[in-house]
Amino acid sequence: MAAKIVIVGSFNMDLTAYAERMPKPGETLPGRKFVTGPGGKGSNQAVAAARLGADVTFIGRVGNDVFAEAALSFWKQEGIHTDFVARDPENATGVAPIWVDDSGENSIIVVLGANLHMTAADIDRATDVIAAADVVITQLEINYDMVDYAMKVAKTRGVRTILNPAPAGKLPRETVALADYLTPNETELEILSGISGDYEKAARSLLTREGQAAVVTIGAGGAQWVSPTTSTIIPAFKVTAVDTTGAGDAFNGGFAVALGEGKPLEEAIRFANATAALSVTKPGTAPSMPRRAEVEALLKG
Ligand code: ATP
Ligand code: RIB
């Protein structure tokens, strides 16, 4: 049976400019290409999970504008349930101007708009769907109170939670404690823990209760799984990176699906690495998320 994944998160319209290199402050550079496409960490993770065959419900908030219409028709096309997407009458749909250089590296500014205005009522309307989920996943592009609240609703119903603490921010320890799995990248780990240099020590400092684990994504290095007593690196798949934007989202979508399907943790991380590796071989964020068959083929080698 398909894993049931609930994502409480953001949508942004990504406005991506591709150029040879990043501009210096004050510099104007000619770009190679400009693309508008669906993004936002929550939505990207939802798309990744849906393309991997999961039954996905997205809880989020968009404005009353053309970007919101584009989001709703995109989710429909991807088979994502949108019954719990709220329309904000006052705040615009999130947008993300992005630069990508020739090495595939990216820089992003997010203007989160409606995403930051999610309310507890938006989440409460979906309580039954949350209670029936295999995994609930959230990120930091909605207001932090709702990150906390979404995980509380899930945990009180015995549902597993993943917190992808991206983009980097400081969170109360009580919120971090609600996550069964934390999936920071290196920068997010440093900011969340206040510890630099030693990933293992930093990740372990975030684990405060039984049953928690951290999975630190380390780009082309793969991912490091840290438990209170062990630490294991699960290497990345070797691919040629074209655009790494959304790699973390692909990883989280893949990780949620694998856990939801009952795969053991190490296997779930390998599955997530494969999903993310395929996503960096294509341009864009949500559009670069791979299909299940491609992931299975890469895993078989
Ligand atoms: P982004 O912010 O660009 O979405 P991130 O910083 O959140 O990414 P990373 O740690 O860079 O996340 O990458 C997430 C995962 O993507 C890695 O754990 C790895 O599995 C995969 N990945 C990233 N870059 C590469 C690469 N060059 N080759 C293979 N896999 C990669
Ligand atoms: O993780 C990539 C995403 O971050 C982009 O889609 C952009 O919208 C920003 O939220």
Side-chain angles (χ1 to χ4, degrees), residues 14-28:
D14 287 350
L15 313 166
T16 308
Y18 295 84
E20 180 189 358
R21 58 175 175 79
M22 302 291 173
K24 296 184 185 127
E27 186 186 25
T28 301

Side-chain angles (χ1 to χ4, degrees), residues 45 51 56 74 91 97 105 157 166 168 182 193 227 245 286 299:
Q45 294 175 18
R51 290 190 180 178
V56 179
F74 177 64
N91 298 285
E105 201 48 70
R157 284 152 185 90
L182 288 158
S193 66
S227 81
T245 323
L299 285 166

Side-chain angles (χ1 to χ4, degrees), residues 106 185 217-220 222-223 236-237 239 241 244-249 251 273 276-277 280:
N106 65 79
N185 68 12
T217 62
I218 44 180
F237 288 83
V239 292
T244 60
T245 323
D249 299 332
F251 184 95
N273 273 339
V280 308

Side-chain angles (χ1 to χ4, degrees), residues 138-226:
T138 188
Q139 321 75 22
L140 304 186
E141 287 188 332
I142 57 173
N143 63 75
Y144 289 6
D145 286 350
M146 292 306 110
V147 170
D148 186 277
Y149 188 68
M151 288 196 292
K152 267 187 190 135
V153 172
K155 286 313 303 165
T156 51
R157 284 152 185 90
V159 177
R160 260 184 304 181
T161 51
I162 300 174
L163 172 58
N164 173 222
K170 270 270 194 219
L171 282 176
R173 280 186 86 75
E174 303 76 53
T175 300
V176 175
L178 292 165
D180 295 315
Y181 299 99
L182 288 158
T183 56
N185 68 12
E186 296 142 281
T187 317
E188 291 146 12
L189 176 64
E190 186 173 331
I191 290 181
L192 203 55
S193 66
I195 297 171
S196 55
D198 184 339
Y199 299 159
E200 195 175 326
K201 185 174 169 206
R204 203 160 278 145
S205 76
L206 300 172
L207 307 177
T208 52
R209 67 167 169 85
E210 191 83 355
Q212 274 189 308
V215 181
V216 184
T217 62
I218 44 180
Q224 186 164 355
W225 160 26
V226 179

